[in-house]
Amino acid sequence: MEKIVISANTSWYVFNFRKGTISELLKKGHEVIVITPKDGYENKLISMGCRHIGIDIDRAGRNIFKEMKTIIKYGMIYFKEKPSIVLNFTPKANIYSSIGAWACKAKVINNISGLGAVFIKNNLLTKIVSLAYRVSNLATNTIFFQNDEDLNFFLKHKIVPQHKAKNIPGSGVNLEEFFVKPSPDDNKVRFLLVARLLKQKGVPEYIEAATILQKKYNNVEFAILGPIDHNNPNSIDEKNLIECNSRHIINYLGTSDDVASIVEHYDCVVLPSYYREGVPRSLLEAAAMGKPLIATDNVGCRDVVFDGVNGFLCEKKNPVSLAEAMEKVINVNHQERLSLGMEGRKIIEKIFDERIVINKYMQIINGAS
C-alpha cells in the first residue's frame, strides 16, 4: 500500500470537499497524510484515520521570503516522509507542494479548482503566477481541470503540456448526503447565496438586486451564508453587511458545517460570481438537493447552470440583470420551481456524482502505483 499526501490551504477544505476520496483511500489500506494549516478541522481528519502535519500558508501573502519558507517546509516534510503520491488542491498548495515534492520524487496529481481572482485581469501578478505554475508543473504527473475553459487557457498559454492535462467534473457531490428536499409551499420565495464573502463572488450585486426586488414584491426573502474572509483585500465590508442585515434587505446566516440543513428551506440558490470559478461547490450541492440555480454567465458557473433548464444565467457585475433572472423564479409557481430543481438533480446524477471524481483519482493512483 502507498503513503499518500493530501495538501490544501485549509483543513476545512480537505474535510468538506475531499472526505469521500480520503475514505476510499483509507478503505484501500493506504496511509493518508494531510498537510494543511491548522484551523480545527484537522482534528476531524485525524478522527477519520489520517495523520496531520501543519504548515503555514498565507493565502493572500506576497512576501517572497515567507513564500519561499513555505516551499522549503514542504520539501523538508517530503524528504522526511517520502510519500509515493501527492494530491494537491487549491492554488498555493498546487504550486508549492509540487515544487517541494521534487525532494522525494513523488508522483504528483494537482487539481485546478478555478483560477480565482488573479486571472480576472492580465497584469504582472498574473504573469508571475503563470510562471510559478509552469515551474511547478514540471514536477507533476497529472493535472485535473474542473472546466474546459481553464484547461484550454493553460494549454493556450503553454502553462501545462497537453499530455498531463485531464478533465474532472468539479469536486463532485455525495448524492446520499445531498438529496432532494423540496422547499415549503407557503407563497414565499426565498433566495440564498452561499459563498466566501468576496466582492468577486457578486455579494454587492446580490444585495443590490435584493433591494430592487423588495420594492416590487412583498413575498420575497434573501439570505447569505458564508464566511467573511478578513485577511483577503477583496472581502466585503462587514459593517455594510451588518447594516443590510439590520435593514432587513438580507439575512446574514454566518457559517455552518451543515449547509444542507439550511439550503433545504430555500427555493433558489444564487451565485452572481465573476471570480474565475472551477465548478462552484455551492451550485453543485444545491442542484443535488433539487434547487433551481441562478448564476452569472461565467467560467465554471455555466458548466452546471443551463439557462431555462435548471435555472437562469445573468450578466456579470449587473445587479439589474441578476434581479431579472431572480424575477423569473419569483413569477413561476411552486411546482415549476420544483421541476427546474429536478432537472438540476438529473444533471448532478449524470455528470457530477462524487463517485465519478473518486474513481478518476483511483484510476490515476492505481496506474501510478
Side-chain angles (χ1 to χ4, degrees), residues 217-232:
Y217 301 93
N218 58 14
N219 66 330
V220 293
E221 295 179 4
F222 305 89
I224 296 176
L225 176 68
I228 298 172
D229 193 344
H230 294 285
N231 296 322
N232 194 309

Side-chain angles (χ1 to χ4, degrees), residues 54-66:
I55 193 168
D56 291 327
I57 300 177
D58 186 348
R59 285 183 290 162
R62 298 181 185 179
N63 182 307
I64 185 65
F65 298 106
K66 288 184 178 179

Side-chain angles (χ1 to χ4, degrees), residues 251-288:
N251 180 21
Y252 177 52
L253 305 174
T255 61
S256 175
D257 287 338
D258 187 5
V259 173
S261 68
I262 294 174
V263 171
E264 68 177 71
H265 299 291
Y266 288 83
D267 297 282
C268 179
V269 170
V270 183
L271 185 65
S273 173
Y274 57 95
Y275 193 86
R276 279 202 67 129
E277 304 283 351
V279 178
R281 181 66 176 243
S282 63
L283 297 181
L284 295 178
E285 292 174 348

Side-chain angles (χ1 to χ4, degrees), residues 128-171:
I128 292 171
V129 174
S130 296
L131 177 61
Y133 268 118
R134 283 192 190 93
V135 172
S136 66
N137 287 339
L138 294 173
T140 62
N141 296 78
T142 301
I143 303 162
F144 282 125
F145 290 85
Q146 295 192 7
N147 64 65
D148 288 339
E149 290 174 80
D150 288 348
L151 188 154
N152 292 332
F153 180 90
F154 268 53
L155 291 177
K156 177 182 176 182
H157 294 278
K158 296 181 171 54
I159 300 173
V160 61
Q162 189 157 16
H163 71 276
K164 293 185 179 183
K166 296 183 183 297
N167 293 88
I168 200 165
S171 53

